[in-house]
Amino acid sequence: MKPVITAERVSRDASDNYVFQRSLLAYEEAAKRIAGRVLEIGTGSGYGIEVVAPHADHFITLDKHRTEGLRLPSNSEFREAKVPPLPFPDGSFDCVITFQVIEHIKQDELFVREISRVLKPGGRLIVTTPNRTMSLTRNPWHIREYDLDQFFHLLAAHFDSIERLGVEGNERVMAYYEKNREGVKRITRFDPLKLQYRLPRWMLQIPYDLLNRLNRRRLLSENNDLTRSIRMEDYRLVPAHEGCFDWFFVATKKTL
């Protein structure tokens, strides 16, 4: 059975460009920080593999679904599995990367513990997740989102050293963000009772997907030049602050 393709799976579609370029930055920054045997949790459409795999001796990418047409370099392999737990022995990897995944994991503490377990002493976790304070509406595909302190304390329980970084955007990015905010307000005005925050997540997922896609397509139609002009270079990695779109944390496992 094919998985449902949702707006949660970032694509190269022009309407996704704002999110795609931001996601690409995470892979480019991770590529500077990885080496050895590397695990990615959350393959998605696989667009980041070509960026990070050349920097690993051996690269394993894992997801609960295999994307059709997934292409892998010679040093890479795909594993299909639902997590947690992770299907690997203790100390299997030098680095683990996982981008925009942990917010979907019900047992997030177990997820972090499992990542620590499969890392070698001194191994690195590089993880991104949305900053809750910058979200424009409830995303029912996310079990929860984190503020800066919440995310730090979640990782600190299992990692010795944590570098707290975040992804922020320049004026072009913020112009799109404001256009997006206006679009979300137009849609949510039809929810005066704030049912989006009261109803179960499963009831909201399909309507959210449809409205999210509709909003992105409308933004592309009405702001074509702005939407298409955003590039990875319009985002930057900075010390984490409340105006960041995503947290980008680098956590190091304690050495023996």
Side-chain angles (χ1 to χ4, degrees):
M1 183 176 179
K2 293 182 181 179
V4 176
I5 303 302
T6 80
E8 284 297 285
R9 292 231 166 187
V10 178
S11 74
R12 296 179 187 266
D13 186 271
S15 63
D16 283 343
N17 187 52
Y18 162 79
V19 178
F20 176 76
Q21 298 296 335
R22 191 166 95 219
S23 301
L24 192 60
L25 177 69
Y27 282 101
E28 292 287 349
E29 291 293 339
K32 302 173 185 177
R33 294 168 167 84
I34 62 171
R37 186 173 169 86
V38 179
L39 170 66
E40 176 186 26
I41 305 171
T43 310
S45 60
Y47 62 86
I49 294 173
E50 62 191 45
V51 178
V52 293
H55 297 266
D57 294 333
H58 186 70
F59 181 76
I60 298 177
T61 183
L62 180 151
D63 204 298
K64 62 182 178 180
H65 301 296
R66 185 185 182 100
T67 299
E68 290 187 8
L70 185 67
R71 296 180 180 179
L72 296 172
S74 59
N75 70 333
S76 304
E77 62 177 289
F78 173 84
R79 299 278 186 95
E80 185 172 337
K82 292 184 179 181
V83 300
L86 291 170
F88 304 103
D90 295 0
S92 296
F93 298 97
D94 298 287
C95 299
V96 173
I97 64 174
T98 181
F99 300 145
Q100 310 301 96
V101 170
I102 194 169
E103 63 273 11
H104 298 268
I105 303 295
K106 184 175 182 180
Q107 296 174 292
D108 58 344
E109 192 277 334
L110 175 60
F111 183 62
V112 174
R113 190 193 326 156
E114 277 289 281
I115 292 173
S116 177
R117 179 185 64 78
V118 302
L119 278 169
K120 298 175 183 178
R124 283 181 165 183
L125 163 65
I126 304 174
V127 54
T128 71
T129 192
N131 171 11
R132 180 173 60 83
T133 60
M134 289 292 283
S135 293
L136 297 176
T137 187
R138 180 191 182 190
N139 184 332
W141 293 99
H142 296 173
I143 293 173
R144 102 286 297 153
E145 294 179 354
Y146 308 90
D147 65 26
L148 181 57
D149 288 339
Q150 288 169 339
F151 198 49
F152 172 76
H153 289 299
L154 176 65
L155 299 187
H158 298 284
F159 287 88
D160 185 51
S161 172
I162 301 173
E163 184 180 11
R164 290 177 280 188
L165 301 170
V167 178
E168 69 175 14
N170 63 12
E171 294 81 2
R172 181 180 295 142
V173 170
M174 295 311 297
Y176 183 94
Y177 179 75
E178 290 305 320
K179 295 290 185 182
N180 193 17
R181 186 200 298 274
E182 293 169 9
V184 170
K185 282 184 177 179
R186 277 194 288 268
I187 294 170
T188 55
R189 76 179 188 273
F190 296 108
D191 183 24
L193 299 178
K194 304 294 183 183
L195 293 179
Q196 63 166 312
Y197 298 106
R198 300 179 183 181
L199 294 176
R201 291 189 308 111
W202 66 268
M203 292 183 65
L204 298 168
Q205 287 172 345
I206 300 304
Y208 173 87
D209 249 17
L210 294 173
L211 292 170
N212 190 18
R213 181 58 61 196
L214 180 66
N215 187 48
R216 289 185 187 181
R217 293 275 168 81
R218 184 192 59 78
L219 284 167
L220 175 64
S221 176
E222 296 179 2
N223 305 275
N224 183 71
D225 291 345
L226 174 61
T227 304
R228 292 179 183 273
S229 70
I230 294 173
R231 293 291 177 264
M232 184 186 72
E233 292 76 17
D234 292 312
Y235 295 97
R236 53 188 171 266
L237 207 56
V238 297
H241 63 85
E242 292 302 328
C244 292
F245 291 104
D246 300 319
W247 306 129
F248 184 108
F249 281 18
V250 182
T252 303
K253 183 176 177 179
K254 188 175 183 178
T255 56
L256 297 176

